[in-house]
Structure formats: C-alpha cells, structure tokens
Amino acid sequence: RKEVEQDPGPFNVPEGATVAFNCTYSNSASQSFFWYRQDCRKEPKLLMSVYSSGNEDGRFTAQLNRASQYISLLIRDSKLSDSATYLCVALNSGGYQKVTFGTGTKLQVIP
Amino acid sequence: DAGVTQSPTHLIKTRGQQVTLRCSPKSGHDTVSWYQQALGQGPQFIFQYYEEEERQRGNFPDRFSGHQFPNYSSELNVNALLLGDSALYLCASNRVMNTEAFFGQGTRLTVV
C-alpha cells in the first residue's frame, strides 16, 4: 500500500463547478500536509498547507482529518486556469523532513 | 531572487553511463532534496542534504548518490544508468525545519 494515495482522475468538470479531491495517508507519524499544483511538464508549486482546523485561501479550502487519515481539497467556482495535477504531500518531521508525494489527481476544467 | 535553479534542463544518456545533475537552492535556503518523477507519477523522494551530509534517504539504490557543497548547492549522481532511470529529476530547497519547499524546473533525463 502506498504511503499517500490519491485518485489519479482525470476529473473533468465544467467552469464554475465545485470539485473535491481526497487523499489518504497510511503513516500515522506524518505531521504536516500540503497540496501542490503541477502544470504539465512543469515543477510542482505549493498551493496551500493543510491544518486540522481547516484553512481557506480564496476559492480553495483544505481539510485534514487525523482520525481517518485523510486530507481534502475543495475548489469552488472552477476556472479554466485551475486545470493541472494536484499533488497531496505528507511530511514526517522526525528531525529532518521525509516528504512523500501522492501520484497526483488530474483536473481538467472544461469551458 | 533566482529561486531554485537546476542544470541541465534536458539530458540524453546511454545505458550504463553515469550522469551528474546540479541544483542551486533558493537564496537563504540550506537544505536540498532530490526527487525522481516518472511520467504520470508523483515525485519520489531520493534523498535530502543538510550541512553537506545526507540526512534522509528514500528507497533508491546506491547507484544514486549526492553531494552538498559549502555554498548549499548540490549534485545528484547516478551510475550505471538504466532505461528505467528516465524521468524528470526535481530539486527542492528549504530552510532546515521550515516545511515550505520550493522546486526547481527540473532536469529531464532520457536514457536510451
């Protein structure tokens, strides 16, 4: 079983739709979580950190459920420019950071 | 601020050869991590360097080795290249214990 699992998609949604991605992690020692966005043939870029209390950045909301060991990302009012692969990341900070990426979920926003 | 820079951007090597990839971290960052990203997959952690020492390592064979220099820049070396080593190699930097990491644009390695 992979340490971080995501549905690879693709998720094809119309502009303006709300879409949610889930990610599960198996290592209970994971302490910090992030969502990265990766455009085709580009490097990943940090989208947002994920906190237990939930956090929101504009149209994006991230949630962490430690009991069930999953992380979610909600995108409201989808834009064409949101089309990308969204990578879930778990970080174990036992001294130095061990970072584990999920395989990514591909989102395609359709006009 | 130049951010994280990697060189070269593209590389073609033959099976059995050796390759060296280079990374300069973002200004103010002292920790460098390397990742391998195969097509359609998420980045896989190779190793992390801090204070010129390897601090964490993922599940990669000893053919993958690295180095960090006093100016915090880093190299990734891969010996005895296999076709399966073809991938995008990403370097990320951060300040130690600071979780926000920034990625370079990657080196696309093709082994033929």
Side-chain angles (χ1 to χ4, degrees):
Chain A
R1 183 186 172 189
K2 291 184 179 177
E3 273 195 50
V4 178
E5 294 203 64
Q6 295 181 250
D7 181 343
F11 283 57
N12 298 314
V13 302
E15 258 186 302
T18 295
V19 61
F21 306 136
N22 286 331
C23 165
T24 58
Y25 63 95
S26 61
N27 189 340
S28 56
S30 298
Q31 297 178 358
S32 303
F33 305 90
F34 307 88
W35 284 100
Y36 276 75
R37 171 196 168 125
Q38 186 171 27
D39 293 293
C40 189
R41 303 183 75 82
K42 299 283 190 181
E43 74 275 19
K45 292 187 178 175
L46 180 65
L47 180 65
M48 57 197 307
S49 303
V50 187
Y51 305 117
S52 296
S53 54
N55 49 305
E56 190 174 311
D57 182 2
R59 298 180 294 108
F60 298 83
T61 301
Q63 291 273 0
L64 165 63
N65 184 319
R66 288 192 185 273
S68 302
Q69 295 189 192
Y70 81 81
I71 306 119
S72 64
L73 177 68
L74 184 76
I75 305 176
R76 290 181 298 278
D77 188 23
S78 299
K79 312 288 186 193
L80 295 177
S81 57
D82 294 334
S83 297
T85 296
Y86 291 82
L87 296 158
C88 172
V89 178
L91 189 150
N92 302 345
S93 293
Y96 297 96
Q97 300 152 3
K98 181 177 181 292
V99 181
T100 306
F101 279 81
T103 54
T105 298
K106 188 171 182 178
L107 171 66
Q108 185 69 48
V109 181
I110 304 160
Chain B
D1 183 1
V4 181
T5 58
Q6 291 185 243
S7 63
T9 54
H10 293 82
L11 201 52
I12 299 175
K13 288 285 191 178
T14 305
R15 261 185 310 177
Q17 284 189 313
Q18 180 263 344
V19 68
T20 297
L21 310 182
R22 295 177 176 82
C23 172
S24 291
K26 183 176 168 65
S27 177
H29 287 185
D30 51 18
T31 303
V32 173
S33 302
W34 286 93
Y35 297 83
Q36 180 194 67
Q37 187 174 25
L39 202 61
Q41 300 294 317
Q44 298 295 308
F45 176 73
I46 303 175
F47 42 53
Q48 182 184 76
Y49 276 84
Y50 171 67
E51 288 188 335
E52 302 178 49
E53 288 190 26
E54 184 184 293
R55 302 292 180 170
Q56 291 272 2
R57 189 177 181 93
N59 295 324
F60 279 81
D62 293 344
R63 297 187 299 109
F64 289 78
S65 63
H67 190 79
Q68 186 180 33
F69 299 95
N71 67 353
Y72 309 117
S73 66
S74 176
E75 288 182 350
L76 164 65
N77 301 293
V78 187
N79 294 324
L81 284 166
L82 304 173
L83 296 179
D85 295 332
S86 296
L88 178 68
Y89 287 84
L90 294 160
C91 167
S93 74
N94 60 283
R95 278 189 288 188
V96 68
M97 302 306 176
N98 183 318
T99 55
E100 187 169 338
F102 293 82
F103 282 83
Q105 82 284 4
T107 294
R108 192 164 296 280
L109 172 66
T110 302
V111 182
V112 296

